[in-house]
Amino acid sequence: MPHKIGFVVVSSSGHEDGFSARELMIHAPTVSGWRSPRFCQFPQEIVLQMVERCRIRKLQLLAHQYMIPSKVEFYISESLPEYFTPYQAERFRRLGYVSLCDNEKTGCKARELKSVYVDAVGQFLKLIFHQNHVNKYNVYNQVALVAVNIIGDPADFGDESNITSREKLIDHYLGHNAEDPALEGTCSGKSDYISPLDDLAFDMYQDPEVAQIIRRLDERKREAVQKERYDYAKKLKQAIADLQKVGERLGRYEVEKRCAVEKEDYDLAKEKKQQMERFRSRVYEQLQLHELVDAELPLACPSSPHHQPPMRSLPQPEERVSENRLADPFLQEKPSSHCLDVSPQRPTVDRPPPATDPPPKTHPDSLPYDERPLPVTRKQLGAAVSEAERRDVLGDEARRADTAGEPEPLTEKALREASSAVDVLGEALVAGAYSKTWSHREDALLTLHKQLTDTPVGTPKEDLKSTLRAAVFLVRRAIRDIVTPVFQASLKLLKMIITQYIPKHKLGRLETAHCVERTIPVLLTRTGDSSARLRVMASNFIQEIALFKEVKSLQVIPSYLVQPLKANSSTHLAMSQMALLARLLRDLGTEGAGFTVDSVMRFSVQALEHRVREVREAAVGMILDLYAQHRALVLEYLPPDDSTTRRNVLYKTIFEGFAKIDGRPTDAEMRAQKRAAAEEAEKRKKEEIRALQGQLAALKEMQAEVQEKESEATKAKNQDTQERKVAPPNAPEIPDNHYLDNLCIFCGERSESFTEEGLDLHYWKHCLMLTRCEHCRQVVEISSLTEHLLTECDQKDGFGRCYRCSEAVSKEELPRHVKTRDCNPAKSEKLANRCPLCHENFSPGEEAWKAHLMGPAGCTMNLRRTHVLHRTPVLPPGKGPAATRAGTSGSKVGSKIPTPKGGLSKGSSRTYTKR
């Protein structure tokens, strides 16, 4: 069974005078702990050596109230590394880290106990402390650690897998559930059970001497159980419970004595010392009277000089506040006396009814050890109400049992569990709340509702807080009730406490936070109830109180709702949490109300993998709602929008939803547009071919006329030359063919070097109207470069169109491109052309492209303009610009011109591959 492991401090990076790291080796309420040097450099580190090689199960850190590190890292090693021989020594292995709260909510008046469950083997533990949280109290930027606790097993302990599996099998057949609230806090005897006596919180509450007695009695109790001496074990159990209260009170007295010494009030210090001695003496006498101790137990004399005085402890809920604590004599203080009476004789004075007594606060023992508050600057409480006094005030149980219509008496187990509530509210009311009859349970809650409503305004604050915590204890129990009227009564009582009782008496944010934190987790479990009516009631109530200004400012409920869904959670619970989160997200938003884009998106992305289809669909809807408000931030939590991602139906739905929100076409709409565009392009292509054929026919006619005139002139001058009178039938085509051979149909340049190979070189390197695609190395018209990248390029899957500038952008850069909004917005094609090189808009039309790309004041990003610019070709008579480039006069963009000798064919693709 895991137990507390002793350790020594091997080294530390430094410390302030009087706060050495060796203080961490002692676990007692009086220790001051370790503090780093003032204005130190971070990180700071401490190395601990455990007394033996062990398997660590649990680590506990008690942080300082205002010298708080932002993060603490844990490292473990089998042996201590020798830094001068690093290649021969083992290095530390990192276990992880924990983050500590900045303590702003408590005003730096509470200490945080951090418990970390690990499973690591080693003998050396290194703690690394990072930069401190900044607050007004920590003027020297220090970090501190009050205490550290290590719980584990010897590393050579045998394999426990068989034991664990056997215990699980037995629990399965016996119907035991590890999460059953009835088994909470019980020791099942399992090998992984950690005793509360080994917890760091126990040492921070207890007087060290009494704590040692408690541990010895606990060992005896286990021995008695093994020997089946159950009566004796029961007696020891009750004695341990009473001794815990005694140890806590002695610790408080020691703190009061120390405070008096610091204030140099030595009369008060002497009085507290005598008070402790009398109280300790009577406790030890009672232990001996009940034969619970013998010579083996270390019962020191009350005035023993080696007794370690405990530091300030927390106020205890079973004790009532005295108006003058310092003047209260010890004889008036009576602790619990189930098995242990601290006074020789029971008091015989009459006592007032519980309603007129100042109600105590909730006892920390009723909370799990990790949730118990730890000692720091708090008010000290006075005398305690004994168990005997409580039984006298509540009356005779037999008389109550004989009264018809009253709830049955509390069992011993229920009496121990609700002892703090009984001290405040009375046994009759608590017995009604614990009754097996649902009508009694409902009546108890309604009675408590009336009592809280009628509480006068002038009631002392401590009494109000004690009553509040006792009421929350009963509400928390009633929320789990399966009977609808009882459940409704608990919600009514809780709503009254938050909206009326706390504001009326001005109890503050801490009490509101206590109510919410103790009840909301239980209410969330009820949202997964099998009854639809209870599910709706619980969800509506959580939504209602989340919008109250008292609760909204705490930002507690949103933190519970964004916790990841458990894989084994019920469908009802998951759906209710999703629906509740969606509603509150619309009501509260993501600005200063507890919800953030980070927390909601992490929750939603995790919910996309849930086993229930409805939960996944709800997560998709939540992401789309969030995208409408925070587009760029949402995209950071999702994979890139590519073909691989879109194979997942959920992500395809998400990205298509994004497109609709942005006003962009979806994939289906884009495919339909592409089909329509292809059909339109094919239609235009045919029309352009027909127009071009007409132009070529007209050109041939012009050439024939010119040839005929030349022939007539030649015939008149050279009548004696008979050979020139005969002309070949295809003579009119010769000038046309010679004219097209040396012409670039894109830029209109003519050169004698434009042979078949020369044109290839011109297209590949020099033509000002063309460019090479950097991704597929094809030669493309600059005017169609964007369409090429989106539809024809080998890398077209890697590009997407920006909805602002209409240009092709790499999909990896597209989110950042869209987010920065630095691009120049594009205009309609009818209003302007868009250059993909310089990203500028200019006048529409085909001739405008020539002027922009080839003119002296044209595109500054066209690198080919550094070569020879457009030279106006010498055209034969009758040859105008209409014959130099397809589409400039009467033809459209994209038409094909048959070029001789294998030149560039200009079609819809407008690409050219070098041969």
Side-chain angles (χ1 to χ4, degrees):
M1 185 173 71
H3 59 276
K4 179 178 290 190
I5 303 296
F7 61 86
V8 295
V9 177
V10 177
S11 65
S12 66
S13 54
H15 62 86
E16 185 181 1
D17 293 341
F19 298 94
S20 169
R22 297 188 180 276
E23 289 284 327
L24 301 174
M25 297 163 54
I26 304 173
H27 283 179
T30 55
V31 296
S32 302
W34 166 81
R35 290 185 187 178
S36 68
R38 297 181 176 182
F39 300 112
C40 62
Q41 293 185 352
F42 292 97
Q44 295 281 304
E45 70 174 44
I46 297 177
V47 179
L48 310 177
Q49 179 181 1
M50 290 165 277
V51 295
E52 58 182 339
R53 181 175 178 269
C54 66
R55 179 181 296 276
I56 301 177
R57 301 291 189 180
K58 183 177 181 181
L59 294 173
Q60 291 183 297
L61 301 179
L62 180 58
H64 196 267
Q65 59 264 32
Y66 60 84
M67 298 182 186
I68 309 171
S70 59
K71 183 172 70 173
V72 181
E73 291 186 89
F74 301 95
Y75 291 80
I76 196 168
S77 174
E78 295 283 352
S79 59
L80 186 64
E82 300 177 7
Y83 296 99
F84 297 103
T85 57
Y87 298 102
Q88 302 177 3
E90 180 186 355
R91 297 185 179 275
F92 280 97
R93 177 169 60 90
R94 188 174 185 269
L95 298 179
Y97 73 93
V98 294
S99 299
L100 297 176
C101 175
D102 56 12
N103 219 3
E104 290 183 357
K105 290 185 178 180
T106 65
C108 297
K109 294 182 179 180
R111 292 172 178 168
E112 181 179 7
L113 175 61
K114 203 75 169 182
S115 298
V116 183
Y117 291 90
V118 297
D119 187 4
V121 178
Q123 192 171 1
F124 291 87
L125 182 68
K126 180 165 66 173
L127 308 179
I128 295 182
F129 302 85
H130 290 263
Q131 183 71 41
N132 62 290
H133 286 297
V134 179
N135 56 64
K136 62 182 180 180
Y137 303 104
N138 193 1
V139 295
Y140 301 114
N141 290 334
Q142 296 172 273
V143 294
L145 185 64
V146 179
V148 58
N149 190 27
I150 305 174
I151 298 176
D153 301 312
D156 298 330
F157 195 78
D159 186 10
E160 302 172 358
S161 60
N162 294 333
I163 300 175
T164 304
S165 61
R166 182 169 63 251
E167 291 171 348
K168 290 182 178 179
L169 185 62
I170 294 172
D171 288 345
H172 173 74
Y173 281 102
L174 291 179
H176 290 173
N177 183 6
E179 298 180 358
D180 188 353
L183 300 178
E184 185 178 356
T186 61
C187 176
S188 59
K190 294 184 179 180
S191 57
D192 58 350
Y193 172 75
I194 299 177
S195 171
L197 303 183
D198 290 331
D199 197 278
L200 185 58
F202 176 78
D203 289 322
M204 299 308 297
Y205 276 100
Q206 294 296 321
D207 173 79
E209 193 171 297
V210 176
Q212 189 176 3
I213 298 174
I214 292 175
R215 288 192 171 96
R216 295 297 298 272
L217 291 180
D218 187 66
E219 292 177 4
R220 289 191 173 188
K221 183 188 70 174
R222 290 199 297 268
E223 293 175 359
V225 171
Q226 292 177 357
K227 297 178 181 179
E228 299 185 354
R229 298 176 58 192
Y230 299 122
D231 291 336
Y232 185 51
K234 178 181 177 181
K235 190 175 183 180
L236 289 171
K237 179 182 178 182
Q238 186 59 49
I240 290 174
D242 292 333
L243 275 175
Q244 287 182 353
K245 300 176 183 179
V246 170
E248 291 165 1
R249 187 186 301 177
L250 287 172
R252 184 174 63 258
Y253 291 159
E254 179 64 28
V255 171
E256 291 176 354
K257 184 184 72 174
R258 285 200 167 193
C259 291
V261 172
E262 292 175 0
K263 296 177 181 179
E264 298 186 355
D265 188 351
Y266 300 115
D267 293 334
L268 177 59
K270 179 180 178 181
E271 179 183 350
K272 288 298 175 182
K273 178 182 178 182
Q274 295 173 351
Q275 193 175 11
M276 291 175 62
E277 291 175 351
R278 291 196 300 268
F279 186 40
R280 192 186 301 272
S281 174
R282 291 185 179 180
V283 170
Y284 292 166
E285 288 176 3
Q286 289 298 315
L287 288 174
Q288 294 172 351
L289 177 64
H290 290 278
E291 299 179 353
L292 295 175
V293 295
D294 52 23
E296 295 179 359
L297 287 178
L299 292 182
C301 176
S303 58
S304 175
H306 63 270
H307 168 64
Q308 296 184 6
M311 65 182 293
R312 180 175 305 178
S313 183
L314 284 180
Q316 301 307 316
E318 79 279 10
E319 300 172 351
R320 296 183 294 173
V321 179
S322 173
E323 294 297 332
N324 187 357
R325 305 187 194 91
L326 304 181
D328 274 350
F330 176 76
L331 295 178
Q332 295 179 358
E333 299 172 347
K334 304 173 181 63
S336 175
S337 59
H338 282 254
C339 242
L340 178 63
D341 248 339
V342 296
S343 51
Q345 298 178 353
R346 295 184 57 162
T348 58
V349 296
D350 293 334
R351 288 172 173 78
T356 59
D357 285 343
K361 296 179 69 175
T362 304
H363 195 291
D365 290 342
S366 63
L367 304 174
Y369 268 84
D370 288 346
E371 298 181 11
R372 290 174 65 180
L374 295 176
V376 74
T377 55
R378 284 187 171 89
K379 293 183 179 180
Q380 304 302 314
L381 296 183
V385 180
S386 68
E387 190 67 25
E389 177 185 3
R390 183 178 64 202
R391 289 203 294 262
D392 289 342
V393 171
L394 296 177
D396 186 19
E397 294 181 356
R399 179 183 58 79
R400 280 203 324 269
D402 293 337
T403 304
E406 292 192 3
E408 60 273 14
L410 289 170
T411 63
E412 183 178 354
K413 177 182 176 182
L415 198 60
R416 288 197 304 270
E417 179 183 337
S419 59
S420 57
V422 170
D423 292 340
V424 180
L425 304 174
E427 186 172 351
L429 182 61
V430 177
Y434 272 76
S435 175
K436 296 180 181 179
T437 305
W438 69 265
S439 59
H440 291 323
R441 300 197 297 271
E442 182 186 16
D443 292 342
L445 295 175
L446 297 177
T447 302
L448 181 57
H449 183 283
K450 188 176 185 304
Q451 288 183 6
L452 295 182
T453 305
D454 297 341
T455 303
V457 177
T459 307
K461 292 288 186 182
E462 292 299 327
D463 297 352
L464 294 171
K465 292 180 180 180
S466 301
T467 305
L468 170 67
R469 292 177 180 261
V472 171
F473 173 79
L474 295 183
V475 168
R476 191 169 186 266
R477 174 183 173 84
I479 289 175
R480 297 191 181 100
D481 206 301
I482 62 175
V483 180
T484 302
V486 180
F487 180 68
Q488 289 176 324
S490 67
L491 298 184
K492 179 181 178 182
L493 178 58
L494 179 59
K495 181 178 179 181
M496 187 275 296
I497 291 174
I498 295 175
T499 61
Q500 299 179 26
Y501 184 81
I502 294 178
K504 174 183 176 181
H505 300 288
K506 300 179 181 180
L507 296 182
R509 289 166 53 91
L510 288 180
E511 300 305 320
T512 305
H514 173 78
C515 294
V516 175
E517 291 173 353
R518 295 295 294 166
T519 55
I520 287 300
V522 188
L523 267 174
L524 283 174
T525 61
R526 296 311 303 270
T527 60
D529 198 274
S530 57
S531 170
R533 183 182 179 188
L534 290 180
R535 289 200 305 270
V536 173
M537 290 172 57
S539 297
N540 292 340
F541 183 80
I542 293 176
Q543 182 181 6
E544 183 182 2
I545 65 172
L547 299 178
F548 292 155
K549 62 178 182 180
E550 298 86 357
V551 179
K552 182 179 179 180
S553 61
L554 297 175
Q555 302 182 5
V556 174
I557 295 180
S559 64
Y560 283 107
L561 292 178
V562 295
Q563 290 181 0
L565 297 172
K566 295 181 180 179
N568 58 349
S569 61
S570 67
T571 303
H572 292 317
L573 181 60
M575 285 300 301
S576 297
Q577 184 172 346
M578 293 294 298
L580 189 57
L581 174 58
R583 296 202 302 266
L584 283 179
L585 191 59
R586 286 193 293 267
D587 294 338
L588 300 177
T590 56
E591 301 296 334
F595 290 118
T596 62
V597 177
D598 177 75
S599 62
V600 176
M601 281 302 300
R602 290 181 185 276
F603 172 82
S604 302
V605 172
Q606 186 265 350
L608 290 175
E609 302 176 0
H610 199 271
R611 57 185 176 83
V612 180
R613 177 178 58 84
E614 291 81 1
V615 175
R616 299 194 297 268
E617 292 176 352
V620 171
M622 194 177 305
I623 292 175
L624 294 178
D625 291 342
L626 205 60
Y627 179 79
Q629 305 173 16
H630 309 278
R631 302 186 180 184
L633 294 177
V634 170
L635 291 176
E636 296 177 0
Y637 296 89
L638 298 175
D641 183 9
D642 52 26
S643 56
T644 303
T645 305
R646 284 182 177 262
R647 293 175 185 172
N648 187 314
V649 178
L650 291 176
Y651 284 114
K652 181 179 179 181
T653 305
I654 290 173
F655 287 121
E656 289 185 351
F658 289 171
K660 291 181 179 179
I661 295 173
D662 294 336
R664 296 180 286 110
T666 62
D667 280 355
E669 295 173 346
M670 291 180 64
R671 286 194 296 269
Q673 291 176 1
K674 287 180 180 179
R675 285 196 299 269
E679 294 174 357
E680 183 67 21
E682 186 66 23
K683 184 178 179 180
R684 288 199 308 267
K685 180 179 177 182
K686 292 179 180 179
E687 293 177 353
E688 290 170 356
I689 291 175
R690 286 196 296 269
L692 183 59
Q693 288 174 348
Q695 292 179 6
L696 290 176
L699 181 61
K700 288 182 179 181
E701 291 178 359
M702 294 172 60
Q703 294 293 337
E705 292 177 357
V706 172
Q707 184 65 29
E708 184 178 355
K709 292 179 180 180
E710 290 178 353
S711 298
E712 291 177 356
T714 304
K715 187 184 297 184
K717 293 180 180 180
N718 304 307
Q719 294 181 358
D720 57 333
T721 306
Q722 193 67 26
E723 291 81 5
R724 294 184 182 181
K725 292 182 180 180
V726 180
N730 295 329
E733 296 181 1
I734 293 175
D736 179 67
N737 290 341
H738 284 290
Y739 172 71
L740 295 176
D741 279 348
N742 299 326
L743 178 67
C744 173
I745 62 173
F746 294 97
C747 64
E749 181 179 357
R750 184 184 294 277
S751 174
E752 295 296 335
S753 63
F754 285 177
T755 60
E756 180 177 357
E757 292 79 7
L759 278 174
D760 286 347
L761 182 61
H762 174 73
Y763 296 151
W764 189 253
K765 289 187 177 181
H766 305 299
C767 184
L768 301 182
M769 301 295 291
L770 304 178
T771 187
R772 271 183 288 177
C773 176
E774 297 179 355
H775 304 281
C776 64
R777 310 305 298 170
Q778 287 186 347
V779 175
V780 189
E781 270 194 282
I782 295 175
S783 60
S784 62
L785 178 60
T786 297
E787 294 300 325
H788 168 77
L789 292 175
L790 292 174
T791 60
E792 298 175 351
C793 182
D794 295 341
Q795 305 295 328
K796 61 184 179 181
D797 291 338
F799 288 91
R801 186 187 296 272
C802 173
Y803 70 94
R804 281 174 51 85
C805 62
S806 298
E807 294 188 22
V809 183
S810 171
K811 288 185 178 179
E812 295 180 356
E813 297 293 328
L814 186 57
R816 184 193 61 78
H817 177 83
V818 174
K819 180 181 178 181
T820 56
R821 302 175 66 89
D822 292 336
C823 57
N824 184 21
K827 297 181 180 179
S828 173
E829 293 182 0
K830 296 181 180 180
L831 300 178
N833 290 326
R834 176 77 178 191
C835 179
L837 300 182
C838 64
H839 315 295
E840 295 293 336
N841 299 319
F842 55 92
S843 58
E846 194 71 21
E847 286 298 330
W849 276 107
K850 250 188 168 183
H852 178 73
L853 295 174
M854 300 175 59
C859 180
T860 59
M861 301 302 294
N862 190 359
L863 300 181
R864 293 190 179 189
R865 295 178 71 249
T866 58
H867 300 286
V868 180
L869 296 178
H870 172 68
R871 294 192 298 269
T872 304
V874 179
L875 302 178
K879 306 299 188 297
T884 63
R885 183 175 184 271
T888 58
S889 176
S891 64
K892 298 182 179 180
V893 178
S895 60
K896 292 185 178 179
I897 297 180
T899 56
K901 301 181 183 179
L904 179 67
S905 177
K906 183 179 178 187
S908 60
S909 64
R910 304 189 180 189
T911 59
Y912 168 72
T913 305
K914 185 176 181 182
R915 291 174 297 208

